[in-house]
Amino acid sequence: MNRRDFLGLAGGAAIAPVLGPIWAARADEAPQRLVVVMLRGAVDGLNVVVPYGEEAYYAGRPTIAVQKPGAEKGALALDGHFALHPALSSLMPLWSDKKLAFIHAAGSPDPNRSHFDAQQFIENGTPGRPTTPDGWMNRTLAALPGARTPTDALSVGPTLPFILRGPVSVANLPLGPKAAAPMAIDQPQVASAFDRLYAGNDKQAAAYRQGREARTELVADMPAEQQMADNGAPPANAFPAVADRLAGLMTRDRHIRLAFVALGGWDTHVDQGSDAGQLAGHLKPLGDGLAALAKGLGPDWNDTVVVVISEFGRTVRENGNRGTDHGHGNAIWIAGGKVNGGRVYGDWPGLADAQLYQNRDLAITTDYRHLLAMVLERHLRLPDAAMAKIFPDMPASKGNLGQILSA
Amino acid sequence: MVCCRRLLAVFVGVALLVPLSVRAEPATDRQIIHLLNRIAFGPTASLVAHVKAIGIDRYIDEQLDPAALPEPPALTERLAPLDTLKLGASQLFAQFGPPSEETAGGMQQTQGDSDARMKRDDSILQQARAARLYRAVYSPGQLQEVMVDFWFNHFNIYAYEGYDLLWIGNYEAEAIRPNALGKFRDLLLATARHPAMLYFLNNEANTAPGSPNAHDLFSGLNENYAREIMELHTLGVDGGYTQQDVTTLARIFTGWGFNYADLQSGSGSAFAFDPLRHDASVKTFLGQSIPAGDEEQGVAAIDILSRSPATAHHIAFELAQYFVADQPPPALVDRLAKTFLDSDGDIKVVLKTLLTSEEFRDSVGQKYKTPYQYVISAVRAGDVDVRNVVPLWWTMERLGMPLYLCQTPDGYKNTEAAWLNPTATTVRIDFASLLGSGAFLLYAPEKGEEATKLVADRTPASELKPRPIDAVALEKLLAPALSEQTRNVVAFGANWLKAALVLGSPDFMRR
């Protein structure tokens, strides 16, 4: 009898004793993992991976451009054409180690400049089709071989985002400083009474059981942490600590194959800053957090791919308020042990007026689905047949991703 | 003839009375709870008795005219100490100044200054939260408070967006609440002019390029508000506008901004139109011509937007989704949209159509409560004496719905898909257990000076004891809305756990 069957029979009434030796799984082949970090609000990719070789970049952004490498507070050179925002300096070791790459001029081909529709199209995997009922990470989960466990996929946070919604139930867990604090449901008498209340087959009962199981499995062996002052810190500032906890969970619970984190605060319409300022203030904890995740995963980093994606890019030219408005193409970030990094991938369309999308935005030359499909095929080892379900309308590949991932 | 006319009048009167008397057959407790789950933040014992006495139709009418309902002392005494709520937007700015990350008058602040200011500014937010939650729990104008929740999310702003920390409560008090049951056009215009919205969606910086007052940060167009007012506030994302309409509307709204003299002096409305930052040229917007002009161009655009059939449909859909079902019946949405257009966007008339519809009546239990609705309805059903809202707010935060902290302009959703998830279920149960046992000590002051100001009961700390919810009364109130399965589990549950089981039941998480 496997763990899932046992739980099913028990109706969720007795869970603690069947946790099983999680560490036993370490003897198995290391699981291949995918972590997706979504930057909600449209990060300004042109100030993240700066095309410093383009005169049009500096012409269009007189007050917010990041200066060329070598200049004071300049960007950090990636190659002869692109450079990284200086607030992301903590990622440079990964870049030098060739474990970090960027795909520029990438994104969802849908022309919509609505945050909410565009995020939906990144999450449902079908740009232009808002009615798709489930997220592509949930469809990916369904396609993964092996028995399901309550923590195959994990969403970090108090709600379950669309990308992970669908037929397969998915755990979510806030990873704030109080994640492991005791709860009423930890008391056996309370738990058994509520188990009887939620003994049905409906969605609420399923969510309840998933919550119980995930809590038992994830929180039981989480180190009891000091109560930290939260001070209402904006979410992005908390990311390094969250990433560190996520790494801890992933190394301890080898069932976790997919993880998702969303960060907000990227909608920089006014006074976004250049080397310092609003955007820099959000990039710094993101870079630090990704570095902490890589470090915290230890040997598991070799079997992990991290993708950082946003719903669209921002206008090439700054607006009238030292900010940027909603645009089109963006840079997608990818890091991990099997990433052939140290390179900026994708066909760069240029920033001259005639090269822009609708005369205002970076054009898209790589559909985000092509990159993700490659991750699913080469890294998670899903067959072609699964891809047709996960990204059903994906056009034939045109993107230039080369050997961005080793099989 | 006279006699006949009188007779006719009597007959007409009788004819009118007949259907009324048919409809006035006593509502069942389940019907009353259904109504109160939707147009109020759930039932209380006294409210169920009240509706039973006057009937569902009269209660709806009562709720549509909240100005006639006197504020009860329980609410007045809780609101009285919240002094920053009495200040206007200009006063708040003059007294509390730019929020902490700004430099004061060009002077660099020390870290100590900055921390002190942060704490002081945050107390404004704490007071706004307290006022909102006390009203939601205790106001007799429940539908108005429900609509404040609805419209605030529709016209969402984020408290930690710069100056909006100062203004978020004032925005709700001056733009949202007074218009929550009024005309949509007035509501839209009030939000458009309020400094909190001007700031949140950057319209205050939106400037005609090359205009006489264009300078520094204010040197050109900003599309943010123009896009969101169409996508979120009025037409909807499929409402038929183009990128050209977005840019044109941004030009129309140039010059809408702050009245800096008001902000310095602490008097006046804080809104000003600056013709010297405005592009006054003739515009074609959504296919309609707007003549050359100043502020009236923006008002004309708001008129066009608020009277558009796409807006009517968008608002009708959102209302039906909030009050009836996540996937609302299309026929109901169409009827509401028609009512919206026919009544020139009269929210009361649209709501009356909605609340007296068969679709509404037949949708018992179809909605899953948002964290906000869940927490407030639990406190109300349990007849909890709330003098400290911090644990309530903290629970909403744990559930992913901290009041006033939705970062994005689309506001919090109200669908089951958005809120039903594994962690939420265990956290709701944790809340139900703490609330049921009285462990939150909600009747007692929160620790800390600022928070203490918000409460009236000053029981010494040594005498603080949990006051558990009366489980017998709770079960009696909610029994008509509990399944047999739930009633059985509660019946066999330990006494100390009964209230938690009722409030943590799957039934109570629905409305």
Side-chain angles (χ1 to χ4, degrees), chain A residues 114 172 184 196 198 320-321 360, chain B residues 205 223 231 243 423 430 485 504:
Chain A
S114 151
N172 66 310
R196 286 193 292 278
Y198 285 86
N321 310 134
R360 56 180 265 156
Chain B
E223 294 179 352
E231 176 183 336
Q243 175 61 41
T423 286
D430 198 46
Q485 151 84 354

Side-chain angles (χ1 to χ4, degrees), chain B residues 114-146:
Chain B
S114 168
D115 290 351
R117 174 163 291 195
M118 176 74 100
K119 196 172 167 189
R120 200 180 57 176
D121 292 349
D122 222 54
S123 76
I124 304 173
L125 178 59
Q126 286 176 32
Q127 294 197 5
R129 276 176 194 150
R132 165 73 90 81
L133 296 175
Y134 285 142
R135 284 199 164 96
V137 174
Y138 293 108
S139 174
Q142 282 282 295
L143 179 57
Q144 185 176 36
E145 292 308 309
V146 165

